[in-house]
Each structure stands twice: as C-alpha cells, then as structure tokens.
Amino acid sequence: MTTTSKKFKTKSGIGVGSTRDDLINTYRSYANFSVRPDWDSNGKPIKDAGYFNLEDSQAGTLLSFKFVNNIVTEISVYLNEGC
C-alpha cells in the first residue's frame, strides 16, 4: 500500500510533509532502520531524494518513507506473505 495523502499518519505521528529529521528523531532507537538514496533511470543516485525504511523481519513487514528535499512525499507499507 502506498499513499501520498497528508491525512495518513503513523502511530508516532509521522506522515507526508514530515521532515527527514522528524523521521530520524522519531525512529532512531528502532532496532532495524536504514536510509538509502533514490536512483534515476540511468542507475545514478538522485542527490536530494531517498528512502527511510523500518523493517521487522520477524513480522515480515517494511514501512518505507520516500523523501525529496528532506520532506516525506510518500509512505509505503509492505508485507511479505512468504513463499
């Protein structure tokens, strides 16, 4: 599921329009988070865009925040249903 709606917020209050600093301050103690760049169609990193991901491998879930110019523009929830 992916949304760009400003109406959707996580339980911690993070949503579209939150800043990258908000993400880091809110989730810095989360056991498994990562920050990675976004890539263009030529395989080059996009300077001002990336993803902040929270993964729970035991539950098989991933919560991903896309940010552009340090502002969250999209939130996605993934569920691994297994093989």
Side-chain angles (χ1 to χ4, degrees), residues 27-49:
Y27 297 116
R28 80 172 91 211
S29 62
Y30 192 82
N32 193 9
F33 76 87
S34 62
V35 180
R36 63 179 183 84
D38 196 4
W39 302 88
D40 67 19
S41 59
N42 296 318
K44 298 197 185 247
I46 299 172
K47 181 180 178 184
D48 297 322

Side-chain angles (χ1 to χ4, degrees), residues 10-79:
T10 66
K11 186 176 179 180
S12 300
I14 300 296
V16 171
S18 296
T19 67
R20 185 174 176 214
D21 287 342
D22 292 337
L23 286 169
I24 292 168
N25 290 333
T26 301
Y27 297 116
R28 80 172 91 211
S29 62
Y30 192 82
N32 193 9
F33 76 87
S34 62
V35 180
R36 63 179 183 84
D38 196 4
W39 302 88
D40 67 19
S41 59
N42 296 318
K44 298 197 185 247
I46 299 172
K47 181 180 178 184
D48 297 322
Y51 294 89
F52 184 98
N53 298 319
L54 299 170
E55 184 175 1
D56 184 337
S57 56
Q58 289 183 348
T61 58
L62 175 75
L63 180 59
S64 181
F65 301 88
K66 180 178 182 176
F67 58 87
V68 177
N69 295 323
N70 293 321
I71 302 295
V72 175
T73 60
E74 181 178 287
I75 301 170
S76 299
V77 177
Y78 300 94
L79 174 64

